[in-house]
Amino acid sequence: MTKRTIYLDYAATTPVDPAVAAAMRECLEPDGNFANPSSSHSAGQRALGRVEEARAQIAARVSAPADTIWFTSGATESDNLAIQGAMLAHRDQGRHLITSRTEHKAVLDTAAAMEKQGFEVTYLVCDSDGLIAPEQVAAAIKDDTTLVSIMHVNNETGVVQDITAIGECCRSRAVLLHVDAAQSIGKVPVPLDQWAADLVALTAHKVYGPKGIGALYVRPGTKLAPLMYGGAQERGVRPGTLATHQIVGMGQAYELADTDREAPVLAAMRDRLWAGLSAIDGVRLNGHPTQRSPHVLNLVFPGVDGESLRLGIAEIAVSAGAACNATAPEASHVLSALGLSDTLAGSSQRFSVGRFTEPAEIDYTIERVTAEVARLRELAGGAPAWCTN
Amino acid sequence: MGYSLEVQQRFHSPQRVGEFAAGTPGLVTGEAEDRTLNVWVRVQVQVVGTVIRSVRYRVFGCPHMLAAAGWVAEALQGRESHTMRELDVHEMREILDAPVEKLGKLLVLEDALQACWQAHFVSAQAQKGS
């Protein structure tokens, strides 16, 4: 990345914090804690100590006991293990899964795979702000419902679901709750001691940790069928040599991710960006105006093709609100669920701020986006109404 | 997505954008769209005699579509009027180095030019009849 690139795509991934990288490096080199944590010799036991230290750091960040944190390769694997593992382990008691239309593909594609295996899936539809009402969850629960899977912070809009209330619905009906909290850490509190959640997917790379490492919180007593075989690590449910450096990196990242300290700073950056961009004619916010994470701002610029806007501001790294591909402007399933037309979904952009975002970068982005939106609208002067609604 | 230098140049520095003044002689207009692909384009061609004197356009769409509209406007200028109906979309795609998946969008431009040709043909026939 050149120095001139302004990175506003922290919801996609984050750079590794230098303190995290330093901790990881210590577990990679010959005089460091590189040994296999499952080895009984002293070097292995020292590595195991680092793994358990990291497990405790992660658990502390989410107010959970350390032994409830099981390491995986990332949130996608955690989602898969939670959904497939729980549904398969309880298949004799119930074969019904509830989730929502605005989940990450890691959940939706897993749910679709479960349907192919003969499980029944109910997809809840959010309101125009992106919220799922707890009453919707309660109404969808049936006698054979095994699991409800609802994400905490939406990765596209930043909308925050009321997991406390949804958890109470599930707990009162003896149904398991899985929460994808990949976007939450460091931005929104994840108080697992207050949530009635049984399974929670976590990741490192959204919070200045390395890619390729995540964790699944598993409430004690929750039965999961393993998806892989080959060792006793992580209670035999997730076998494989523990990646000490990755785990230590995740632990350090979670140690640094102080929501109370960082969230107000992120919110100030996001609000500064919104204050500037809201002056653009017709621009609208996608998602709930207040029940949202401080790091995401998803906006629709009517009359502006999203791909063209991104090329026009190529020195600023942002993502599509829509999951574009080159074949067709495939609308974002999240924005479609909020009721946006395919055109408006394609005219949406997700800006996401992070730990290293500077106010000057926000001001430059406001200036460039404003100018580029005006230029592209001028190019499309006289376009029919469907291009803007 | 990566973009060729041709696309980037035409995207960032578009030429011939706009409309001709009302009453410009020899003017024909063609418009086409594909809502499923989020593409709209309007092309204005000024024909003097049998030669295309100048072209203007407006376009809503992706960078390839914007670049393609500019490329067509430049390519048509000074050519015989019948070239409006002879746009080789595949050649244009190769020049722009656009992915094959963009072909559907580029064909919308062909539709707009066909509409221009139709308008020109009708106008020419009317002039012959008068």
Side-chain angles (χ1 to χ4, degrees):
Chain A
M1 184 183 300
T2 66
K3 281 185 176 178
R4 286 185 296 175
T5 298
I6 291 174
Y7 189 77
L8 293 180
D9 203 17
Y10 285 85
T13 195
T14 60
V16 173
D17 189 284
V20 171
M24 292 176 68
R25 195 174 302 115
E26 194 273 324
C27 299
L28 289 167
E29 297 171 351
D31 57 350
N33 286 306
F34 69 89
N36 190 325
S38 297
S39 296
S40 58
H41 49 64
S42 60
Q45 292 304 294
R46 283 197 301 275
L48 179 62
R50 296 300 310 275
V51 166
E52 294 311 320
E53 183 185 344
R55 200 187 303 273
Q57 288 172 311
I58 296 162
R61 180 56 63 204
V62 295
S63 304
D67 63 359
T68 60
I69 303 299
W70 301 7
F71 291 110
T72 66
S73 64
T76 294
E77 184 188 335
S78 296
D79 288 335
N80 271 267
L81 179 57
I83 296 169
Q84 293 191 59
M87 295 304 292
L88 292 171
H90 295 85
R91 63 186 151 200
D92 293 336
Q93 291 85 51
R95 302 176 70 83
H96 180 224
L97 165 67
I98 298 170
T99 187
S100 84
R101 291 280 180 205
T102 54
E103 297 297 308
H104 190 277
K105 291 285 187 186
V107 168
L108 291 176
D109 288 355
T110 305
M114 301 310 292
E115 282 186 286
K116 287 181 181 172
Q117 294 181 47
F119 291 88
E120 181 190 359
V121 181
T122 296
Y123 296 92
L124 302 177
V125 179
C126 65
D127 65 17
S128 60
D129 283 333
L131 291 174
I132 298 289
E135 295 76 20
Q136 288 178 268
V137 177
I141 292 175
K142 305 191 297 185
D143 289 344
D144 66 339
T145 303
T146 292
L147 179 70
V148 171
S149 180
I150 300 290
M151 73 197 314
H152 185 211
V153 175
N154 187 274
N155 57 304
E156 290 194 30
T157 61
V159 168
V160 180
Q161 302 294 346
D162 186 352
I163 297 300
T164 301
I166 290 171
E168 287 167 3
C169 291
C170 296
R171 184 61 56 83
S172 68
R173 301 284 295 274
V175 170
L176 297 172
L177 173 62
H178 164 245
V179 178
D180 180 340
Q183 290 285 345
S184 308
I185 303 302
K187 298 96 179 180
V188 183
V190 179
L192 296 188
D193 57 341
Q194 295 171 38
W195 286 1
D198 303 284
L199 300 154
V200 178
L202 304 168
T203 192
H205 79 100
K206 308 284 193 188
V207 61
Y208 314 97
K211 297 167 183 64
I213 184 71
L216 181 63
Y217 160 83
V218 183
R219 183 176 291 280
T222 306
K223 287 195 295 183
L224 287 179
L227 306 184
M228 297 191 295
Y229 299 90
Q233 293 92 344
E234 305 306 83
R235 294 170 175 74
V237 175
R238 205 288 183 176
T241 301
L242 291 169
T244 310
H245 62 299
Q246 302 282 75
I247 290 168
V248 165
M250 183 172 179
Q252 184 68 29
Y254 274 54
E255 175 86 20
L256 294 171
D258 183 346
T259 306
D260 291 342
R261 180 171 48 84
E262 292 205 68
V265 179
L266 295 174
M269 291 290 179
R270 177 203 61 190
D271 293 345
R272 186 186 185 107
L273 183 59
W274 175 227
L277 295 180
S278 62
I280 295 174
D281 185 39
V283 67
R284 295 200 298 272
L285 175 70
N286 290 325
H288 196 278
T290 57
Q291 198 166 326
R292 59 190 174 126
S293 174
H295 72 305
V296 176
L297 186 66
N298 192 311
L299 303 177
V300 57
F301 300 94
V304 176
D305 179 84
E307 187 186 338
S308 285
L309 180 55
R310 285 190 295 283
L311 179 59
I313 57 167
E315 74 277 27
I316 303 166
V318 297
S319 280
C324 291
N325 62 39
T327 306
E330 179 188 330
S332 153
H333 69 279
V334 174
L335 298 182
S336 294
L338 268 60
L340 270 70
S341 67
D342 287 359
T343 303
L344 287 185
S347 296
S348 297
Q349 305 289 335
R350 180 188 67 184
F351 303 85
S352 47
V353 298
R355 184 175 293 166
F356 304 110
T357 304
E358 298 285 345
E361 294 179 315
I362 297 293
D363 295 342
Y364 178 81
T365 300
I366 293 166
E367 180 185 323
R368 287 289 296 114
V369 171
T370 301
E372 191 61 19
V373 166
R375 187 182 81 91
L376 292 170
R377 283 179 173 169
E378 171 66 19
L379 280 172
W386 66 263
C387 296
T388 58
N389 55 38
Chain B
M1 175 176 288
Y3 301 96
S4 66
L5 287 176
E6 182 81 21
V7 169
Q8 290 186 50
Q9 187 177 11
R10 293 189 180 280
F11 174 84
H12 289 295
S13 303
Q15 305 293 316
R16 302 175 178 79
V17 177
E19 298 86 15
F20 289 102
T24 300
L27 202 61
V28 290
T29 300
E31 193 169 317
E33 66 181 34
D34 187 327
R35 297 185 187 199
T36 65
L37 297 176
N38 282 339
V39 171
W40 166 84
V41 64
R42 184 176 63 212
V43 180
Q44 285 191 324
V45 180
Q46 184 191 18
V47 182
V48 176
T50 61
V51 176
I52 297 172
R53 184 170 183 177
S54 192
V55 182
R56 295 286 183 272
Y57 67 93
R58 296 279 186 185
V59 59
F60 171 81
C62 69
H64 291 102
M65 189 64 188
L66 271 57
W71 182 85
V72 163
E74 181 181 312
L76 286 180
Q77 192 160 311
R79 305 281 295 275
E80 288 292 316
S81 58
H82 62 80
T83 54
M84 278 189 274
R85 58 174 182 166
E86 295 169 357
L87 173 67
D88 186 338
V89 174
H90 295 279
E91 179 194 8
M92 180 172 68
R93 187 182 73 77
E94 286 183 12
I95 290 170
L96 297 174
D97 196 19
V100 69
E101 295 83 10
K102 296 277 188 169
L103 191 56
K105 294 186 177 188
L106 301 183
L107 286 168
V108 174
L109 194 52
E110 183 182 51
D111 291 343
L113 288 179
Q114 290 290 343
C116 285
W117 170 252
Q118 291 280 346
H120 172 66
F121 183 78
V122 169
S123 173
Q125 291 298 106
Q127 284 181 356
K128 280 182 183 175
S130 61

